[in-house]
Amino acid sequence: MGSLDSNPASFDAFAAEADGFQPLNAEDVRSYLHKSVDFIYDYYKSVESLPVLPDVEPGYLSRLLQSAPPSAAAPFDIAMKEVREAVVPGMTHWASPNFFAFFPATNSAAAIAGELIASAMNTVGFTWQANPAATEMEVLALDWLAQLLRLPESFMMNRTSAGRGTGGGVILGTTSEAMLVTLVAARDAALRRMGSNGVAGIARLTVYAADQTHSTFFKACRLAGFDPANIRSMPTGPDTDYGLDPSKLLEVMQADVDAGLVPTYICATVGTTSSNAVDPVGAVADVAARFNAWVHVDAAYAGSACICPEFRHHLDGVERVDSISMSPHKWLMTCLDCTCLWVRDAHRLTDSLETNPEYLKNDASDSGTVTDLKDMQVGVGRRFRGLKLWMVMRTYGSTRLQEHIRSDVAMAKLFEEWVRADDRFEVVVPRNFALVCFRVKPHAGMTEEETEAANRELMERLNRTGKAYLAHTVIGGKFVLRFAVGSSLQEERHVRSAWELIRKKTTEIMSGEMSV
Amino acid sequence: MGSLDSNPASFDAFAAEADGFQPLNAEDVRSYLHKSVDFIYDYYKSVESLPVLPDVEPGYLSRLLQSAPPSAAAPFDIAMKEVREAVVPGMTHWASPNFFAFFPATNSAAAIAGELIASAMNTVGFTWQANPAATEMEVLALDWLAQLLRLPESFMMNRTSAGRGTGGGVILGTTSEAMLVTLVAARDAALRRMGSNGVAGIARLTVYAADQTHSTFFKACRLAGFDPANIRSMPTGPDTDYGLDPSKLLEVMQADVDAGLVPTYICATVGTTSSNAVDPVGAVADVAARFNAWVHVDAAYAGSACICPEFRHHLDGVERVDSISMSPHKWLMTCLDCTCLWVRDAHRLTDSLETNPEYLKNDASDSGTVTDLKDMQVGVGRRFRGLKLWMVMRTYGSTRLQEHIRSDVAMAKLFEEWVRADDRFEVVVPRNFALVCFRVKPHAGMTEEETEAANRELMERLNRTGKAYLAHTVIGGKFVLRFAVGSSLQEERHVRSAWELIRKKTTEIMSGEMSV
């Protein structure tokens, strides 16, 4: 039994009153949602003052809430009270303007509204027929975003558009899923080319990515059954700013071919999680072409920046890759989850992913004139995610979306300048987007271990204040602080406050003051 | 250019006014959400009168909306106008009380509110530290639901609860993902037991399921790299009401072992999509135990019914399986997406799915006292899905949830009685839950083909009316109509109207009237 768990006696009347339970009664829906909107309004107004990282111990929630499900109904206000009193105090507030960790999960009024409407309509658009509007809105939103990114036309034509290209797109939940489905398509195509009997040849297939690639890529390879020994994590270094070196890639792939292996897939990242490194997309595609290997571009975070002409060059060569994914839930103000995947030849995906059970058969699918998006993802069920993405573009237009990206980058640049102007610090790798990787630099004969300890101490002291939250990484053996600008409520004053706090805590540490 | 695409001239002023774009401005959020709530209220009030299945052609939406993304911002009302005028007319209305297709996507005021709040907070709880409240709420919601289902304790103890068991749960997006992650865990465990060098032994692993199992299972097996030749779809028939026959399973598994293959995984379904057949969980587990194979129970739809004591026997034997999944987004009034997976030994999952990149390392994870839920799923990012599921149980209590299940089953039973009382029809398989599989039966020397044609004609005529939508399946070679009761706004009068419509259209067809 937790401490917030008892229903006041007045509930008995409430619980007894029910006469035919109507879970979607329109009056209740409106009432519950109005209360939720009030909560959200208050939350956004106050989140700045809440500790970004909560001071709770594992198991804290089960000590506050009841451990067994109630049998009686309770007014919605009770759930809201428990959210306020038990959930909020244990939250890491990604919406806080003082959040600088990981990558921001940017969001917007239009996106939340789109998600709300989709939740209420609650359709399951696995086939076109199961919700034509959802499929077509998803295709339209992907085509709009592809235009903003200036992706080649070949990626853009789903079968429901005029023109009937071979390309196609789909909205998935995570980049990991985008990697997995393209890995499986590439795997199956390679096995077919080898004339493999079933999966017998799978142990000969090889995949490649820079060592800076997100760990989820290496996990997706294992999920798809690639041999752990054949998953090549290519070393990178400061000479390429931690981007993949195409000449080394060529060497390794050729050596694999010489050893009787079959290069199958390369993942190139535009904007790595660790440091925002950029693999050279065009050069990677050129190497891959020699071996008929699939190239996927993971632009989860930095893809959003490529809607600005000044960042678009990071995608140069994309017309020669097989697939690209990016996540508007990271930096395009679209609440979770929304990862966009485009492929040049949708049939290569559907060849591996199509199912056709009797209970989903229908004339539209049989006609071949529509895309059933279930055949481009892991599962069957799917939410109406296209709505929120379309609403973001429809409401803000490309001008404001670009303005938003540029404003974040300008704030990061300012922070970078402050770091450079204080000789206790160093910027460890060049800043490409809105992430600054920096650290307290070794001084007065400090060893690398002592430098790491000082930076760890700085991070921990900062995060304990509740006034800023940032995370770390390790680049080239160095322990580095990641300062990611862009939380949607963030303004320059928050970046400035965080910087002042960093300076203050650094001074404390250097003068040997104890942590408070 | 579509027909709804021009911005009135008055927008220019609006677009020019922007001074520092604030995508999460609390006033805007409140305003957009209030408009969305008004829309939802109107939608629920009117959805009954809308055609359930829309009369639109592929590509209809791109003819109504602009084909290129706007550069200028537009008032939110414009997006809402286009939703009303272009999206709604192309929707298949799963929320309609006249929807009887597939399985209903049930929903509730509490769930939508929970999803809305989660969307606004927009946290990414990949690790415990990244949002302690989200991880702990998910664990608590899963423990509550496990109690309602009377799952064995061994499934229930995530590491953040007191007690520290080996079991654990996670909320995923789809049943397919639950199957995939358990398949991968079982695959890797089998390879380790075989002493396989990497994945070399994968072509010897075999998996099993009844031929009535959802097609997504067979797809998940291919995603995980199992050899298509080793994926056994076991024939079923009317003698077992289309459930898996454990004695046949034993035979096939033994034959595989005799042939040098390695039985690895069995999927047992409680409530198949096609006809709600139930595989005998306990007997399947007993067979599996002889071969050390993983048993997964897919109770996506019917699992919800098992919160009622009178249906719980369908899970008998679950204490001997390795994992079970069910989807509250199907029948427990929780909007998409919400699939709950429990495993008896969480380490078997995390052994295959754990990642540990530097930028996610933190003291809580290092301490081993918390569960990082990213290690039980395909991706890294994850929404705060536990909130809506908890809110449903907190607000309605088990009593109303059971009442809701029983009410749906009672309506299905009524429908079944009406079908049985009309000698033009037959119920094709026994009704287990709230799905009735029926057809116009052959009469006056009709062949099976003619019977199928009559039933197809009936389905198409019904669906064209817009007053009811139902889907079909094929069971034992027979074309069968599926009447799935339970859409959240459904009342007995809707079931009655649909039945009257079915009778009327059948009379028309039998009297040779042309389709109108």
Side-chain angles (χ1 to χ4, degrees), chain A residues 115-131:
Chain A
E115 184 73 57
L116 170 59
I117 291 169
S119 302
M121 290 173 155
N122 206 37
T123 63
V124 194
F126 31 64
T127 58
W128 179 88
Q129 193 211 36
N131 188 354

Side-chain angles (χ1 to χ4, degrees), chain B residues 8 53 77 90 112 266 305 394 457:
Chain B
L53 200 61
D77 290 348
I112 303 169
I266 304 165
R394 185 69 186 99
E457 178 68 21

Side-chain angles (χ1 to χ4, degrees), chain A residues 284-360:
Chain A
V284 167
D286 293 340
V287 173
R290 300 198 190 192
F291 304 97
N292 209 2
W294 184 298
V295 179
H296 178 73
V297 173
D298 165 17
Y301 165 72
S304 294
C306 299
I307 67 167
C308 299
E310 66 270 32
F311 294 110
R312 175 56 175 75
H313 66 93
H314 291 298
L315 294 182
D316 282 356
V318 69
E319 65 283 358
R320 303 198 294 284
V321 309
D322 299 279
S323 53
I324 174 171
S325 59
M326 54 84 71
S327 298
H329 64 225
K330 281 201 158 66
W331 203 6
L332 214 60
M333 305 190 304
T334 306
C335 49
L336 290 168
D337 45 5
C338 184
T339 292
C340 299
L341 167 68
W342 292 270
V343 290
R344 199 145 46 96
D345 183 354
H347 288 293
R348 293 173 70 187
L349 267 194
T350 56
D351 281 353
S352 288
L353 302 174
E354 192 167 85
T355 56
N356 194 21
E358 187 63 40
Y359 41 83
L360 295 183

Side-chain angles (χ1 to χ4, degrees), chain B residues 169-213:
Chain B
V170 64
I171 302 182
L172 304 172
T174 59
T175 297
S176 316
E177 186 177 355
M179 290 169 166
L180 178 62
V181 296
T182 51
L183 276 163
V184 166
R187 178 198 73 188
D188 292 351
L191 288 172
R192 279 193 299 272
R193 281 199 305 271
M194 290 164 67
S196 172
N197 177 18
V199 299
I202 199 168
R204 286 175 53 212
L205 306 183
T206 53
V207 296
Y208 308 82
D211 59 2
Q212 299 296 301
T213 306

Side-chain angles (χ1 to χ4, degrees), chain A residues 111-295:
Chain A
I112 303 169
E115 184 73 57
L116 170 59
I117 291 169
S119 302
M121 290 173 155
N122 206 37
T123 63
V124 194
F126 31 64
T127 58
W128 179 88
Q129 193 211 36
N131 188 354
T135 298
E136 301 213 357
M137 180 56 94
E138 186 161 330
V139 168
L140 183 68
L142 286 162
D143 273 6
W144 278 19
L145 186 50
Q147 291 175 62
L148 293 184
L149 293 168
R150 288 191 284 145
L151 293 186
E153 284 247 321
S154 52
F155 285 108
M156 289 166 55
M157 287 177 280
N158 274 288
R159 282 189 285 173
T160 43
S161 301
R164 301 285 304 277
T166 57
V170 64
I171 302 182
L172 305 172
T174 60
T175 297
S176 317
E177 186 177 355
M179 291 169 166
L180 177 61
V181 295
T182 51
L183 277 164
V184 166
R187 178 198 73 188
D188 291 352
L191 289 172
R192 279 193 299 271
R193 282 199 305 270
M194 290 163 68
S196 171
N197 178 14
V199 300
I202 199 169
R204 286 175 54 212
L205 307 184
T206 54
V207 296
Y208 307 83
D211 59 3
Q212 298 297 302
T213 305
H214 199 289
S215 58
T216 206
F217 169 71
F218 301 103
K219 173 170 160 179
C221 294
R222 296 196 311 271
L223 291 175
F226 287 93
D227 199 301
N230 294 351
I231 302 171
R232 311 260 175 267
S233 172
M234 309 279 303
T236 59
D239 51 320
T240 57
D241 291 337
Y242 299 93
L244 186 60
D245 180 339
S247 61
K248 284 189 197 158
L249 176 67
L250 176 59
E251 272 173 40
V252 173
M253 291 179 83
Q254 187 58 54
D256 281 340
V257 170
D258 295 345
L261 300 174
V262 180
T264 302
Y265 188 102
I266 305 166
C267 179
T269 307
V270 174
T272 61
T273 301
S274 190
S275 71
N276 270 186
V278 175
D279 295 333
V281 172
V284 167
D286 293 340
V287 173
R290 300 198 190 192
F291 304 97
N292 209 2
W294 184 298
V295 179

Side-chain angles (χ1 to χ4, degrees), chain A residues 399-434:
Chain A
T399 307
R400 283 196 185 165
L401 296 177
Q402 291 171 342
E403 183 187 323
H404 162 78
I405 296 285
R406 286 170 180 148
S407 157
D408 289 347
V409 172
M411 287 193 283
K413 209 167 165 184
L414 199 59
F415 181 87
E416 183 191 23
E417 284 165 14
W418 294 333
V419 171
R420 289 191 193 280
D422 186 327
D423 63 9
R424 297 174 298 173
F425 299 94
E426 65 179 353
V427 173
V428 180
V429 290
R431 181 195 51 73
N432 284 323
F433 304 101

